[in-house]
Amino acid sequence: MSNKVSQPQDYRFVVFMDEAANYSFLTRSTAVSEETIKWEDGNEYPLVKVQISSASHPFFTGEEKIIDTEGRVDRFKARAERAAKLRASLGNKTKKAEKEAAKKAEKASHANEAAEK
């Protein structure tokens, strides 16, 4: 059994063109194309036209918008807000219970001191 990975046989320079952004780049690929283009270096390369690339994709251009037709973001924010309020109220109850326990312990301590005298 051989551990060698076979390499693609038709790995060559290819120009990819994003027509929407009027952007092209030269890279190596096995993509097949009937068209060719003369590149900036004066050589002719196969041309592969693409509909979207990093030059036109909203994620890479910073124009990404969150489309939330089901209100998922709003529901998440509301749940997070309710959870924060619940944590705060539980924290307040805990603090109050701790104060009351401390007062009872102090009273018990004073009562024990008085009983010992």
Side-chain angles (χ1 to χ4, degrees):
M1 178 187 275
S2 174
N3 289 338
K4 289 186 179 181
V5 177
S6 63
Q7 297 296 321
Q9 298 302 312
D10 195 21
Y11 197 64
R12 69 210 184 291
F13 283 101
V14 176
V15 174
F16 285 87
M17 177 187 287
D18 181 347
E19 294 177 305
N22 195 25
Y23 174 72
S24 300
F25 57 95
L26 178 68
T27 188
R28 293 180 58 96
S29 176
T30 59
V32 179
S33 176
E34 300 283 324
E35 296 181 69
T36 61
I37 189 171
K38 192 166 197 155
W39 189 243
E40 299 162 356
D41 63 4
N43 294 324
E44 197 163 307
Y45 298 103
L47 174 66
V48 176
K49 294 180 181 176
V50 294
Q51 294 178 350
I52 197 162
S53 72
S54 61
S56 61
H57 192 283
F59 179 81
F60 295 105
T61 61
E63 297 171 3
E64 182 177 32
K65 292 182 175 47
I66 297 175
I67 299 174
D68 185 21
T69 57
E70 298 174 12
R72 291 176 291 206
V73 173
D74 293 333
R75 285 196 310 269
F76 174 80
K77 287 179 179 177
R79 273 196 320 268
E81 189 175 316
R82 282 194 306 269
K85 286 180 183 176
L86 180 62
R87 277 193 302 274
S89 71
L90 290 176
N92 291 339
K93 286 180 183 178
T94 303
K95 288 177 187 175
K96 187 175 179 182
E98 288 173 350
K99 284 182 183 178
E100 288 178 10
K103 284 181 183 178
K104 284 182 183 179
E106 191 175 322
K107 283 182 183 179
S109 173
H110 287 304
N112 285 341
E113 288 175 7
E116 289 177 359
K117 288 185 181 180

